[in-house]
Amino acid sequence: MTGDHLRGGPGPIEDYALLSDLRTAALVGKDGSVDWLCLPRFDAPSCFCRLLGTDRDGHWQIAPTAPVREVRRRYRGNSLVLETDFCTDSGAVRLLDTMPPHEKNQHDQPCLVRTVAGLSGEVEIKLRWVLRFAYGDSVPWVRRVRETEPVLDEYILAIAGPHTAVLRGDVLPRRAEHERAHELVVTVHAGQRLSWVMQWSPDPQDLPAPMDPVQEIRVSEDFWREWTEKITYTGPHRAAVYRSLATLKALTYAPTGGIVAAPTTSLPEAVPGDRNWDYRYCWLRDATLVLLALDGFGCSQEAAAWRRWLVRAVAGDPGDLQIMYGVNGERHLMEWVADWLPGYHGTSPVRIGNDAYRQTQLDVYGEVMDVLHLARERGLLESEATWALQRGMLRHLEKIWQQPDRGIWEVRGPDRHFTHSRVMVWVAFDRAVRGAEEDGLPGPVDRWRRIRDEAREEVLERGWNPQVGAFTQYYGGTSLDAATLLIPAVGFLPGTDERVVRTVEAVQRELQHDGVLVDRYRTGERPHHVDGLSGQEGAFLACSFWMVDALAYIGRRLEAEEMFDRLVGLANDVGLYAEEYDAGSGCFTGNFPQAFSHLALVNSATVLYGGLTRDQRSRRNGTSARSPHPGGTSRFA
């Protein structure tokens, strides 16, 4: 890495590390540049947007001016305090980055803390701060302010419409000549430390108070240490499982309990290509699976918080249930294109919002019913409101379950009878029946049982293609879909069933590469007849982990363990995964870091090495998920 790294566009996706304060997230590159940050929450407009554009679209870089011989980085323990060591011919410095999480104080505003510490010799560093609100489209009014009352306080103030940012530091940068940027060049000696803190405020008349960078780094470390102490996993690849669980926690919006699928938008699934989507929202499917991953190893408070978010988000007519919502439960996620941005490495469009929120995806009902059933089994007491919500969902599902839908991959082609969707319809009614039979919850159990059995027979008759020798992607089709690997995981059929074994083997033959990477389904250069999109895409990392699980379920455990080892090795240097992996280039593709990939890793560790898996019939150990009503009648908690 030479001095040229101080200017230019984004690096490879795998070069980024994640910072999170449980409200929003930043991505920091190996070049010391924060290239993505949305304030004050995950789905807000960005203030640093070089990830989807160029230097001019906003970033904050701190790095040596001289050529860098080596970059080493790591998170401190299981925390999200990032250490990046830059080694040059004249010495070495360490860059510490964090966003202190304030989970309990809902009124704290986001801040980004950056510190440079001299390790050896002396190193000249350059700080370049380019702030652009509204996805690079809004240049703020920036000025230097010096206050003397009540105490001396000097800072840089940036204001643009509803956004205000304050930059404080040991040495403040100056405006770069002929540029809308601020820069600072300073020499850092061994043992010396310089710090900067950037804070956000909704009101320029009510600025956040100065913060102690050393204290905030300590707060971050303490928070993550205390949180990860709850994790009960002790099996192989412990560091990878801990990092994945911490990443899933980092994608949680603390004020409501909503969980975003990823903190980024429009990172392409292939370059070139148009498969660029905004994932900064709460998919019911993703969130339920995340909760299974967290709860499986002792992180149970997130399950309770998410259930509260769910009841709030989907309140109203069950027929209005959406597949995704905003982090605060917002329903309208209108999709539009930021056409002034060139996109990641020139791959447009840059999409804001996601029109898939309008889609019908029948599998979502099964995912939600399954996770709430598992929450009961794991001791989260049912409430009258949450069971009423589930019954309302089932009443609506009774009316629509035989209709075609867009499926788990939310295709933008025509509606179809997707096999996985129908399997999850079975899951929805199966969990309802079990809620009635095992927990004594009220409802029309005979009708639920009849629909459950009808759905099962339909899948076995129409989803199974004897000519292909596998469960296919949709009824009447011949193409395969990695989602069928989930059939034993949800308990629809056991792994010993010959149809499950043959489906796993068919997916291996048709969709797996080099014995490790698995595609969702076949794509091509022309518009695909199922998803309506053109271009290829990388292998889905979540699907690859699903293959691990499926191999274990059908009794090929050694093969599953070997595959799991190889997949763990595909993480970047700080243990993060994107949505997809391009085997040809060895690069990540798609949004990053991706909750789906990390939760799939955790679930594979659960299947292989112990934990609570979703296919187990019951985990109560003789205890009940119900408790007496305060009035003395056994109803709901």
Side-chain angles (χ1 to χ4, degrees):
M1 189 165 69
T2 68
D4 294 339
H5 68 280
L6 292 171
R7 304 294 292 274
I13 294 171
E14 58 270 17
D15 277 4
Y16 288 96
L18 174 74
L19 308 177
S20 169
D21 64 355
L22 308 183
R23 285 169 173 74
T24 188
L27 294 187
V28 188
K30 281 186 176 179
D31 60 355
S33 182
V34 180
D35 285 353
W36 181 253
L37 175 61
C38 299
L39 293 174
R41 58 186 229 182
F42 291 107
D43 57 352
S46 66
C47 65
F48 298 137
C49 196
R50 187 166 79 158
L51 185 68
L52 300 177
T54 67
D55 180 275
R56 297 185 303 272
D57 297 305
H59 72 294
W60 183 8
Q61 187 169 23
I62 301 175
T65 58
V68 175
R69 290 188 286 103
E70 184 182 11
V71 177
R72 299 188 301 265
R73 45 176 205 172
R74 71 212 66 83
Y75 287 112
R76 283 188 172 179
N78 293 317
S79 77
L80 262 73
V81 177
L82 179 69
E83 295 181 339
T84 306
D85 295 346
F86 296 105
C87 301
T88 72
D89 289 337
S90 63
V93 293
R94 174 169 296 162
L95 176 62
L96 283 83
D97 290 314
T98 193
M99 297 183 71
H102 299 282
E103 187 173 37
K104 296 179 180 177
N105 189 342
Q106 306 298 324
H107 302 292
D108 285 339
Q109 300 298 350
C111 73
L112 174 58
V113 178
R114 314 199 74 188
T115 293
V116 174
L119 299 180
S120 64
E122 59 180 39
V123 180
E124 184 181 77
I125 66 162
K126 184 174 185 177
L127 180 152
R128 182 171 171 83
W129 191 65
V130 182
L131 200 65
R132 297 289 185 271
F133 292 113
Y135 303 107
D137 195 42
S138 178
V139 180
W141 173 43
V142 183
R143 59 193 174 97
R144 195 182 187 104
V145 178
R146 179 181 173 87
E147 296 180 352
T148 57
E149 296 293 339
V151 295
L152 178 62
D153 186 14
E154 192 167 7
Y155 53 87
I156 295 175
L157 180 65
I159 302 173
H163 299 287
T164 300
V166 179
L167 179 65
R168 294 183 173 94
D170 293 323
V171 185
L172 289 176
R174 299 280 182 180
R175 186 183 300 275
E177 190 173 356
H178 308 304
E179 292 189 78
R180 291 176 172 177
H182 282 69
E183 290 186 344
L184 166 70
V185 177
V186 63
T187 298
V188 178
H189 301 271
Q192 183 182 7
R193 180 185 293 259
L194 296 174
S195 298
W196 297 268
V197 177
M198 189 181 96
Q199 298 163 275
W200 182 88
S201 173
D203 184 357
Q205 303 302 316
D206 185 19
L207 299 181
M211 306 178 76
D212 179 353
V214 174
Q215 173 64 20
E216 293 306 316
I217 292 173
R218 187 178 302 116
V219 165
S220 292
E221 285 192 88
D222 290 346
F223 173 86
W224 289 107
R225 184 187 67 254
E226 292 171 6
W227 187 81
T228 54
E229 284 175 351
K230 298 183 297 183
I231 298 173
T232 59
Y233 181 74
T234 57
H237 297 297
R238 193 164 180 257
V241 172
Y242 272 58
R243 178 53 52 198
S244 288
L245 289 168
T247 301
L248 296 176
K249 175 66 173 178
L251 298 179
T252 302
Y253 184 67
T256 63
I259 302 169
V260 298
T264 55
T265 179
S266 300
L267 289 181
E269 296 175 11
V271 179
D274 61 353
R275 299 170 182 265
N276 311 343
W277 314 109
D278 193 346
Y279 279 4
R280 299 170 299 155
Y281 304 109
C282 303
W283 271 255
L284 296 188
R285 175 193 307 110
D286 295 40
T288 57
L289 295 173
V290 167
L291 289 176
L292 293 178
L294 290 170
D295 189 59
F297 290 115
C299 307
S300 57
Q301 72 178 37
E302 286 73 19
W306 181 82
R307 195 175 70 171
R308 289 192 297 270
W309 173 87
L310 174 70
V311 173
R312 171 182 175 181
V314 307
D317 187 343
D320 295 332
L321 180 76
Q322 298 179 186
I323 65 163
M324 72 175 89
Y325 297 85
V327 295
N328 235 0
E330 295 88 352
R331 294 172 178 252
H332 297 113
L333 312 177
M334 307 299 189
E335 185 177 300
W336 55 280
V337 173
D339 56 9
W340 59 87
L341 287 171
Y344 176 77
H345 289 184
T347 305
S348 59
V350 172
R351 291 185 172 97
I352 311 300
N354 198 312
D355 273 347
Y357 82 91
R358 303 173 184 270
Q359 291 186 359
T360 297
Q361 297 175 19
L362 296 175
D363 70 293
V364 169
Y365 294 87
E367 300 290 4
V368 173
M369 290 298 297
D370 192 28
V371 77
L372 294 178
H373 173 76
L374 290 170
R376 286 195 301 273
E377 290 196 331
R378 297 177 186 181
L380 185 61
L381 301 178
E382 191 69 80
S383 72
E384 197 162 357
T386 55
W387 183 243
L389 166 68
Q390 292 166 72
R391 290 187 60 177
M393 289 171 50
L394 290 167
R395 281 195 299 272
H396 183 64
L397 185 58
E398 287 180 38
K399 301 173 184 176
I400 67 170
W401 76 270
Q402 293 178 310
Q403 298 176 9
D405 72 331
R406 297 297 178 90
I408 185 175
W409 306 125
E410 51 201 40
V411 299
R412 300 207 172 190
D415 288 2
R416 295 179 184 272
H417 296 286
F418 287 101
T419 300
H420 175 261
S421 294
R422 288 302 209 276
V423 168
M424 296 311 294
V425 167
W426 174 87
V427 169
F429 287 103
D430 177 72
R431 288 0 176 218
V433 170
R434 289 168 62 181
E437 293 178 344
E438 298 171 10
D439 296 313
L441 296 171
V445 65
D446 290 338
R447 187 166 74 240
W448 292 340
R449 190 182 295 111
R450 176 178 53 78
I451 297 174
R452 178 194 65 180
D453 295 344
E454 185 178 346
R456 185 177 190 276
E457 291 304 314
E458 182 192 270
V459 170
L460 295 178
E461 179 182 348
R462 301 182 62 189
W464 173 260
N465 187 318
Q467 283 71 44
V468 177
F471 286 103
T472 53
Q473 184 175 42
Y474 54 87
Y475 292 174
T478 58
S479 56
L480 299 178
D481 190 322
T484 57
L485 295 173
L486 296 172
I487 285 175
V490 299
F492 183 82
L493 287 174
T496 54
D497 190 286
E498 181 64 22
R499 290 163 294 189
V500 172
V501 175
R502 292 179 65 186
T503 297
V504 173
E505 292 173 344
V507 171
Q508 279 191 304
R509 289 192 304 270
E510 299 295 327
L511 300 180
Q512 191 170 14
H513 313 280
D514 302 321
V516 64
L517 294 167
V518 178
D519 295 337
R520 296 187 299 174
Y521 50 85
R522 290 286 187 200
T523 56
E525 293 301 326
R526 296 187 220 171
H528 192 271
H529 70 284
V530 172
D531 65 27
L533 302 169
S534 61
Q536 302 282 350
E537 63 183 21
F540 259 63
L541 289 168
C543 295
S544 304
F545 285 110
W546 294 349
M547 178 61 78
V548 170
D549 304 347
L551 289 170
Y553 281 121
I554 67 173
R556 291 159 58 178
R557 182 182 177 87
L558 180 59
E559 187 179 347
E561 290 183 344
E562 292 174 349
M563 185 176 173
F564 186 66
D565 291 344
R566 293 180 64 185
L567 286 170
V568 168
L570 295 181
N572 75 354
D573 59 322
V574 290
L576 301 179
Y577 294 89
E579 180 181 17
E580 302 174 17
Y581 189 91
D582 184 339
S585 64
C587 295
F588 284 160
T589 60
N591 284 302
F592 173 86
Q594 181 80 0
F596 225 36
S597 301
H598 284 278
L599 70 89
L601 182 152
V602 173
N603 286 332
S604 291
T606 304
V607 170
L608 291 175
Y609 304 117
L612 301 178
T613 57
R614 66 188 298 189
D615 63 300
Q616 291 171 269
R617 185 88 184 151
S618 178
R619 290 158 293 278
R620 284 192 189 79
N621 296 321
T623 62
S624 174
R626 297 164 61 213
S627 68
H629 187 269
T633 303
S634 180
R635 287 180 60 207
F636 299 93

